Structure formats: structure tokens, C-alpha cells
């Protein structure tokens, strides 16, 4: 069964450093998302991406964040200058069509020291 | 503002007993509603969804949920709980053309 994959599973970085979180969505899916979850709490929407552009972003997704789909398979989230409060689990998700369920990857745990 | 609520932070149930995890929503239009489960240190797994049609929907692992428009609820149920059902459950709504909105989550503990 196809699944969303994410790398790395755990990333530790120093405050102020840049990180790139990688995702490989399900191959025929068209809609891509990033979410974050702080310490097993509520899942917060960050950004959605469709047709090679951002379709919606939340207040969390400020100028320090960017997303890219550099080729036909990868979908990345970049944080330019990490802050302590960026420490969270980051989930990538994808879906085939608008009115369908999203499929989530296993997450990347980001720890900012 | 559109939102989804899960009024219980924690639900405890004995193995073999029926379980209910509650969800209510406040949205305009006709929402699509989902339940996702998160096992410890794992990602989010899709359980079931309501788009249209029968108000009672069946999903994975023996779970089901009933969409009740008059009460704006979408409670998750299972007739007989297993210890392995212990996890964090999220109710999620989606309005067409918008994005998923997650409820705060309910931690289910099934006691042997």
C-alpha cells in the first residue's frame, strides 16, 4: 500500500540554523500539506500546496518558512532560522482530490537547542 | 469562527466495554468530517470519514461514527474496546476548498 514517507525521523539543530524537512507524498496525489504538533497536542495546519504553488498558509507560516516541490516526488519544508519554539513534530500529508482524506507521513521530530 | 470540539481530554474504558469519543462541530455549510488516530510516537492514521449519504459510517479497526446534523456531532464509537485501541484520537473537519481543521484530541485509555 502506498504511503507518505518523511526524512529524517529526528532532527536536532541549534537555534538560528536552517533546517530542511523532506517528504515524499503518495505518487499520484495532487495536494500536499505540512502540519506541526507540539508535544502530542493539537495538530496545527501550516501550509497547503497545489499545482506548484502555495494555496493557503496559516499565521504560523511566516517568512522563516518556505516549501518547495523541487522534482516530481519530493516536497520540502525549510525553516531558515530556527527558534526554540519551532521544536515540534512536523507531519507531511497528501491527498488525491479535494474531497478526500489526507494521508499522513510518520513525522519528523525537530528539536531546536 | 469554524471549529471542532472534543469535550473530553481523556476517556477511560475497560476492555470489552463499548467506547465513545465525542466530537461536535461549528461550521457553516456541509462539512466533511474525519476521525484520525495517533498511536504513541507514530503518525496520524485515517479511521473513517463522513462526506454524504448514510449518517452511520464504518471505518477501520471496527470503529464507526454517527453524523448528527441536528446536534452537530460526529461521535466515534466501538462496540467492544481493545487495549490496543489506546491512543490519541482527533476529530477533523474540512470545508470544500479549505483546509483540515483538527480538534484538540482525546486520549483514550483502555484498561485491561
Amino acid at each position: 500500500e502506498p504511503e507518505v514517507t518523511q526524512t529524517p525521523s529526528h532532527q536536532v539543530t541549534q537555534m538560528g540554523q536552517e533546517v530542511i524537512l523532506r517528504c515524499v507524498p503518495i505518487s499520484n496525489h495532487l495536494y500536499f500539506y505540512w502540519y506541526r504538533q507540539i508535544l502530542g497536542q493539537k495538530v496545527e495546519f501550516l501550509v497547503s500546496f497545489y499545482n506548484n504553488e502555495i494555496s493557503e498558509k496559516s499565521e504560523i507560516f511566516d517568512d522563516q518558512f518556505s516549501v518547495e516541490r523541487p522534482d516530481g516526488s519530493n516536497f520540502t519544508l525549510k525553516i531558515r532560522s530556527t527558534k526554540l519554539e519551532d521544536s515540534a513534530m512536523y507531519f507531511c500529508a497528501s491527498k488525491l482530490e479535494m474531497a478526500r482524506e489526507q494521508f499522513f507521513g510518520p513525522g519528523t521530530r525537530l528539536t531546536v537547542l | 469562527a469554524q471549529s471542532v470540539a472534543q469535550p473530553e481530554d481523556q476517556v477511560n474504558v475497560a476492555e470489552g466495554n463499548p467506547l465513545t469519543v465525542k466530537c461536535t462541530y461549528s461550521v457553516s455549510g456541509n462539512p466533511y468530517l474525519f476521525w484520525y488516530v495517533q498511536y504513541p510516537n507514530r503518525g496520524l492514521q485515517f479511521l473513517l470519514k463522513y462526506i454524504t449519504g448514510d449518517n452511520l459510517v464504518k471505518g477501520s479497526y471496527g470503529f464507526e461514527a454517527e453524523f448528527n446534523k441536528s446536534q452537530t456531532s460526529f461521535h466515534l464509537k466501538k462496540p467492544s474496546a481493545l487495549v490496543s485501541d489506546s491512543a490519541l484520537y482527533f476529530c477533523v473537519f474540512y470545508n470544500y476548498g479549505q483546509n483540515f481543521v483538527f480538534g484538540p484530541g482525546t486520549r483514550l485509555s483502555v484498561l485491561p
Side-chain angles (χ1 to χ4, degrees):
Chain A
E1 187 175 327
E3 58 184 19
V4 178
T5 60
Q6 290 184 244
T7 55
S9 57
H10 191 189
Q11 174 90 46
V12 180
T13 189
Q14 296 289 326
M15 189 171 59
Q17 295 295 304
E18 174 183 287
V19 294
I20 297 176
L21 310 182
R22 291 183 167 79
C23 169
V24 179
I26 295 173
S27 62
N28 61 338
H29 283 191
L30 302 176
Y31 298 83
F32 313 109
Y33 305 84
W34 283 101
Y35 295 84
R36 77 173 187 189
Q37 183 186 34
I38 297 175
L39 282 180
Q41 296 177 22
K42 187 173 181 176
V43 179
E44 300 173 297
F45 166 74
L46 292 178
V47 66
S48 58
F49 192 86
Y50 171 72
N51 201 25
N52 286 319
E53 61 183 19
I54 291 173
S55 44
E56 190 170 344
K57 58 184 180 180
S58 71
E59 293 176 352
I60 303 167
F61 194 89
D62 60 23
D63 292 343
Q64 294 300 312
F65 290 86
S66 63
V67 290
E68 197 175 40
R69 188 157 162 82
D71 52 42
S73 60
N74 291 285
F75 180 51
T76 62
L77 174 70
K78 181 192 291 186
I79 310 175
R80 288 189 186 80
S81 179
T82 50
K83 302 188 280 284
L84 294 176
E85 54 265 37
D86 292 327
S87 294
M89 183 74 91
Y90 288 80
F91 291 105
C92 172
S94 69
K95 69 179 180 180
L96 178 60
E97 297 168 348
M98 281 280 248
R100 294 287 295 268
E101 62 272 22
Q102 295 182 15
F103 291 86
F104 285 80
T108 293
R109 182 174 298 281
L110 176 65
T111 302
V112 182
L113 303 175
Chain B
Q2 302 187 110
S3 64
V4 58
Q6 295 178 241
E8 299 157 318
D9 294 335
Q10 173 88 36
V11 169
N12 297 320
V13 64
E15 188 175 28
N17 282 2
L19 70 87
T20 299
V21 183
K22 295 179 180 176
C23 172
T24 59
Y25 62 90
S26 174
V27 301
S28 58
N30 296 313
Y32 301 158
L33 294 161
F34 302 80
W35 277 99
Y36 280 80
V37 59
Q38 185 178 29
Y39 297 101
N41 301 312
R42 301 284 296 278
L44 294 148
Q45 294 183 33
F46 167 74
L47 274 181
L48 50 79
K49 66 182 177 184
Y50 173 80
I51 303 294
T52 187
D54 287 341
N55 289 340
L56 184 66
V57 292
K58 295 186 183 296
S60 308
Y61 313 121
F63 284 93
E64 60 186 31
E66 186 167 11
F67 174 68
N68 188 320
K69 191 169 184 177
S70 63
Q71 296 186 3
T72 62
S73 67
F74 189 56
H75 301 331
L76 180 71
K77 299 183 179 186
K78 186 172 181 180
S80 178
L82 300 172
V83 173
S84 56
D85 292 330
S86 298
L88 187 57
Y89 289 80
F90 291 98
C91 183
V92 182
F93 87 79
Y94 167 73
N95 258 344
Y96 197 89
Q98 299 176 22
N99 291 301
F100 271 27
V101 176
F102 279 75
T106 297
R107 192 164 298 280
L108 172 67
S109 291
V110 181
L111 309 172

